[in-house]
Structure formats: structure tokens, C-alpha cells
Amino acid sequence: MSVRHFVSVFDIIGPIMVGPSSSHTAGAVRLGLVARAILGEQPAEALIELHGSFAHTGRGHGTDRALVAGLLGMKPADDRIRHSLELAAAAGMRIRFAEADLGQDAHPNSARLTLGANQRRVTVEGASIGGGMIRVTRIEGYDVLFTGEHDALIVVAEDRPGTIHTVTGLLLAHQINIAFSRVERRQRGGEAIMIFETDDPIPALIPETITDFYWVRWARHVPKVTD
Amino acid sequence: MFDSLAEMVAQAENRGLPLHEIVLQAEMAHSGKPRAQLRSRMKERLDVMRRAADEGVSRPVMSLSGISGGNAYRFWQWLADHEPLTGPILSRAVARAMAVNEVNAGMGCIVATPTAGSAGILPAVLLTLQEARGFDDEALVDALFTAAGIGVVIIRRASVSGAAGGCQAETGSAAAMAAAAATELLGGTPRQAAQAVAITLKNMLGLVCDPVAGLVEVPCVKRNAAGAAQCFIAVDLALAGVESVIPPDEVIDAMASIGRHMDERFKETALGGLAATPTGRRLAQIVLSANPFTVSVGSQSTG
């Protein structure tokens, strides 16, 4: 655990979680939850690729069950996590697991989740960095960085003037304060991904409204995954 | 919050307040949340701890991997008609410490205190003192704030991660946190609570993290039992006025230094110590050979 400016008593006495490992289990549930939220619905199919320690000791730590539990919408303290593979099968979710080398820069506890449902498909890559904390590092091939410790609004849209203004204007109209924001694009005038981490929950109306703009490909609210 | 136990103790002494109150006020100041909300959040954690401890002694709980489990229940049953050398209080704390860690290994719900692998010690110590000495839940919530304050200082000066500092950093920190909490609960002064931290940590310095197959069970479950015992020894000594020659903050710094110099094989890599014994390697092969990451589940699965 890295030393932050302030360590809360609930970082020490917590999180409440099902075992056996805060990084291999609780963090994995949170990665699954974030990926589910980015897809925007429960996935019908999932390819789960495990890297490093996740691949090597994941089974004994229940990392496979934890990731799937997150895809089912469970939180780290959910007693049903240990049964998640069976529950996913019962829900008709098709899941494949594979080992993958996500590169030298990837954290040892990393996973790539490729999810599909109806017409939607999304690839999310992230890591469990200790104590149940996570960071999401790639979405649809864009390099990103967010932690799930705040509510987030993610927008993928044409890279054109006024997009950020439009989004922040909507957030302002709902009195939602932005804690952090980040914009990444692959090339000028192409597509860009925007991530706004906020201090307050984001009403469903906001991503819906944004998605209605013709130059926006998709927008999602990713609720925070910490307590 | 606090960078040293010396600072925390000095503030408590100057203001004539117990450590738990100093910690709670610091958390209120940082988070902007009211006292009642922080206390009820802590109470919620106490309830989860109690459920885990109760579950682990009331039935045999096996680990997910199947290589360990059921020992807390076995010991609890044995205690019913035997007189343990460790006496009625410590023996029950030992049972509860193992119980919580077995529940953890079985994918049950626990509170990481400070980590999942060391989650048995603090609940075991506090719940057993409640049973033996009649403390109410409010007193236990106070004690959890004391424990948290110690953990904050340890994180700021050292680490609570086995991967960074070995088992001393996990079960050592947990036992030290529990020792301060228990000392204060039993009427000790802030200074005595800090001394209990120093004595506990000193007795656990150098402990390596060498889990079989990299899993949080062998030897973690029994190390939680040992952590509870070290805690009780230190609490009694501190309450009697025994002090550590090396001050508490310097002991924490020594732990940090030992952790930094500890060979990587002994920092949760499963490459050394018990993990590298013939039996440890054999168990690892059994666990890891059942690699699930090539299988499918769901309607496409052919089993």
C-alpha cells in the first residue's frame, strides 16, 4: 500500500470483503464491477484474460470467481462470490478464461475483460494494486487511468471543439463537482475518450442525454466501487 | 493523521484523552463526517468480525483450495472438555483468530485488519476480552479506533503488506494494533498502549511471508493464532508497567528496515521458507495443476 497524504481509519479496519486476499479477491470483484458498468449492462459473454500473479495463483485465491462476481454486479462483501461461476452459468453468461501476457508494464495482478451484450462490445484492462484498490488502465485500446474511488462519467466521442464544454455544462447543471478529468485521443480529429471523476453520483439522465448527441459514440456512468 | 506514536501519545496526554478519542477526532477532521456516522461505520465492521469468528468455531470451514481448514472448530470442541495450557482466555482468542482466517480462506466475509491474511487477530482479541470481561460493543468500537490509529502510523512509517515487508508487517502489525486496543480497553494509559505496540512488534520482527502455493492459509491461519498470543503477552507486560528499551516508533522503523532487507523469497512470492519445502512444493503443484483458465463456463461449456 503506497503512502498517501491521508490514511483513513477505514483503510486500516477494512474493507469488509470475502476472502482470501484483498488484492486477488476484493480488487478483482471491483475490476469486474467497473467493466460491467463500462459495458452498461450485464454481459452475455465475457473473455477474461489473466496476467502474471492473477494467472498463476488466481484459482486458489478465487480470482476467477471474483471477476465473474463483479460482472454479475456483486460487491466485494457479497457471500455469493464463491458461487459466482455457477450463478453466471445459470444466468446464461458465457465465459472463457485464458492466460495472457499484457506486457512488461502491466502490474502482476492484471486482467483484460472483453465483454459483449446485445450490440455492445467493450474491452477493459485493469489491475488490482493491493488492499482491494484498483486502477483501470485501458478501455477500448485507449490508455486511461482511474481508480473506481469516485463516480465516473466516461464519454467516447468525435474529437471536436466543444465536447468537454457540453459535458461539463451538463454536470454543472446538476451541481455535480468534478474531482479529476482526463482526455485521451488517438489522433487529432479522430475519436477521444473523456473521463470525468466526480464527487457526487451521476444521474442516469446525463449519460443518456450525452449519448443522444450525434457525435458521441457512447457515454456511461461508472459508479464508484469503494465503500 | 499521525506520523508517529510519540506524537499520538503526546497529544492524548496533553489533552487528557484516550487514544481512541484522538484518532476519532482526527478522522472527523479529515473526512468532515460526524462522529455518529464514523462510529456506526466502525460498528458495522465489528458485526462482520463477530459473524466470521462465530462461523469459524461453530462448524469446520475448509479453504477454497482444500489444503487446510477445520482446525478452529476442532480446537473449540477440544476446549469444551480440556484445560488448555494457555488458559481459558488466550485459548479462546487463539480459536477465534484461526476461525476468522479459516473463514477468509473459505471465501467467507471478513474485515481486513489491516489485511485479509491477518484478519483474525484483532477480532479474536477484542471479542474474547468482551466475553471474558464484559465490555459492551461501544467499548469495542472505541478499541477499533485505537487499533486503526496504530495501523495508520505503521503504514506511514513502514508497511502492512506481506509482499513489501514479510509476515511481520501483516500479523505483526495486526497484533500490535490489537495490543494497543486491548491495553486501553483494560484501563492502560496511552503510553502503556504504545509500549504494548513496541513489545508485540519486537517479538515478531523478522517473521517471513512464505505461504504455500501463494495462498492465504498455510501458515497464515496459525500465524494469526500466534499473533493473538504475542498480543496478550505484551498487553500484560505493558499493564504491569514494563517498557520496551527501544521506543515504539524506533521498533516500527526497525520493522521497515528489516522488511526492506528481507530476501524477495520471503515476501509473499511463495519461493522460500515453508512454501519451498518438499511438502509445500507438492501442495502447490496439486493446487496449481488444476488451472482453470483454459476452461469455459456457461451454455457454451461442454464441461
Side-chain angles (χ1 to χ4, degrees):
Chain A
M1 193 177 286
S2 63
V3 176
R4 284 171 285 161
H5 181 62
F6 184 88
V7 181
S8 160
V9 296
F10 300 110
D11 293 327
I12 305 291
I13 309 296
I16 299 173
M17 54 170 276
V18 302
S21 159
S22 56
S23 53
H24 285 73
T25 318
V29 174
R30 287 173 170 166
L31 274 179
L33 262 177
V34 166
R36 171 192 169 101
I38 293 171
L39 180 69
E41 59 190 297
Q42 179 152 307
E45 52 186 24
L47 169 63
I48 300 177
E49 296 170 285
L50 288 306
H51 167 92
S53 171
F54 261 15
H56 297 133
T57 67
R59 180 184 168 82
H61 282 122
T63 303
D64 47 350
R65 293 161 202 259
L67 286 163
V68 170
L71 295 181
L72 286 166
M74 295 181 202
K75 297 194 166 154
D78 199 310
D79 283 337
R80 300 168 301 164
I81 290 170
R82 72 183 90 171
H83 305 301
S84 70
L85 297 181
E86 296 78 6
L87 292 168
M93 194 189 287
R94 297 185 301 278
I95 302 164
R96 276 193 305 129
F97 291 100
E99 288 187 30
D101 182 353
L102 299 180
Q104 281 196 322
D105 293 339
H107 186 280
N109 294 330
S110 289
R112 180 165 60 202
L113 295 90
T114 304
L115 310 179
N118 299 315
Q119 305 306 315
R120 290 177 179 174
R121 193 176 176 81
V122 73
T123 299
V124 178
E125 198 174 309
S128 175
I129 59 171
M133 293 177 285
I134 62 165
R135 61 178 179 228
V136 176
T137 51
R138 279 176 92 78
I139 298 173
E140 288 198 344
Y142 290 101
D143 289 325
V144 300
L145 188 62
F146 72 101
T147 62
E149 290 176 28
H150 291 82
D151 279 65
L153 178 66
I154 302 180
V155 181
V156 174
E158 284 174 32
D159 177 29
R160 53 183 273 164
T163 304
I164 294 174
H165 179 80
T166 306
V167 174
T168 54
L170 268 168
L171 291 171
L172 171 66
H174 286 82
Q175 291 291 305
I176 293 168
N177 190 47
I178 296 169
F180 309 99
S181 70
R182 203 168 272 112
V183 180
E184 300 284 345
R185 67 179 183 191
R186 292 203 189 95
Q187 63 193 55
R188 184 167 178 179
E191 246 182 22
I193 189 165
M194 284 158 271
I195 301 180
F196 303 89
E197 294 178 272
T198 65
D199 290 326
D200 313 285
I202 298 163
L205 184 67
I206 291 184
E208 285 166 15
T209 306
I210 295 170
T211 305
D212 281 344
F213 294 112
Y214 68 91
W215 37 268
V216 171
R217 192 148 64 81
W218 57 265
R220 301 267 191 282
H221 169 214
V222 179
K224 70 173 185 168
V225 293
T226 52
D227 292 347
Chain B
M1 186 180 275
F2 295 98
D3 292 321
S4 72
L5 289 185
E7 182 190 344
M8 198 187 284
V9 169
Q11 201 183 119
E13 286 175 344
N14 292 339
R15 300 174 61 198
L17 293 171
L19 288 179
H20 62 78
E21 182 60 27
I22 297 288
V23 174
L24 176 57
Q25 288 185 12
E27 184 77 16
M28 286 163 64
H30 167 74
S31 66
K33 305 247 166 70
R35 171 183 297 264
Q37 187 178 334
L38 295 174
R39 290 190 67 88
S40 83
R41 219 174 146 193
M42 198 61 99
K43 172 64 166 54
E44 188 190 339
R45 282 154 167 72
L46 176 63
D47 292 339
V48 174
M49 293 177 190
R50 183 178 285 125
R51 278 199 295 277
D54 288 350
E55 187 188 351
V57 297
S58 60
R59 66 178 182 88
V61 176
M62 298 306 295
S63 71
L64 182 67
S65 73
I67 64 175
S68 73
N71 284 326
Y73 175 75
R74 184 194 310 271
F75 187 53
W76 194 256
Q77 294 295 110
W78 182 83
L79 286 176
D81 52 9
H82 292 81
E83 200 170 295
L85 274 177
T86 47
I89 300 180
L90 176 54
S91 61
R92 288 168 80 87
V94 160
R96 290 189 171 102
M98 294 202 299
V100 173
N101 218 249
E102 285 183 345
V103 166
N104 179 63
M107 292 196 85
C109 197
I110 56 97
V111 185
T113 52
T115 62
S118 59
I121 297 169
L122 186 58
V125 168
L126 296 184
L127 293 168
T128 303
L129 286 180
Q130 179 171 52
E131 176 184 75
R133 302 287 170 91
F135 297 111
D136 62 15
D137 279 1
E138 287 302 303
L140 263 55
V141 167
D142 287 343
L144 287 173
F145 278 100
T146 305
I150 305 304
V152 168
V153 172
I154 293 175
I155 266 197
R156 295 189 71 88
R157 301 182 78 95
S159 168
V160 299
S161 145
C167 192
Q168 56 166 6
E170 292 210 27
T171 59
S173 299
M177 287 159 49
T183 299
E184 206 167 62
L185 199 55
L186 292 164
T189 63
R191 182 182 175 88
Q192 287 174 325
Q195 287 298 321
V197 170
I199 296 168
T200 306
L201 267 190
K202 285 203 304 188
N203 291 348
M204 298 181 79
L205 286 181
L207 197 58
V208 300
C209 180
D210 51 353
V212 170
L215 304 179
V216 190
E217 42 186 307
V218 178
C220 318
V221 172
K222 295 184 187 83
R223 294 256 173 91
N224 273 258
Q230 291 288 0
C231 165
F232 277 27
I233 292 168
V235 171
D236 274 347
L237 289 175
L239 286 171
V242 175
E243 298 217 327
S244 169
V245 173
I246 310 297
D249 291 316
E250 292 184 35
V251 175
I252 295 172
D253 294 346
M255 180 176 86
S257 169
I258 292 166
R260 278 195 299 275
H261 291 106
M262 195 180 275
D263 192 288
E264 290 300 318
R265 280 173 294 187
F266 305 125
K267 292 198 272 193
E268 213 177 326
T269 54
L271 297 173
L274 296 171
T277 58
T279 301
R281 289 181 198 275
R282 185 173 55 77
L283 288 170
Q285 284 235 312
I286 292 171
V287 172
L288 301 180
S289 65
N291 191 329
F293 300 133
T294 53
V295 306
S296 300
V297 299
S299 51
Q300 279 186 341
S301 170
T302 53

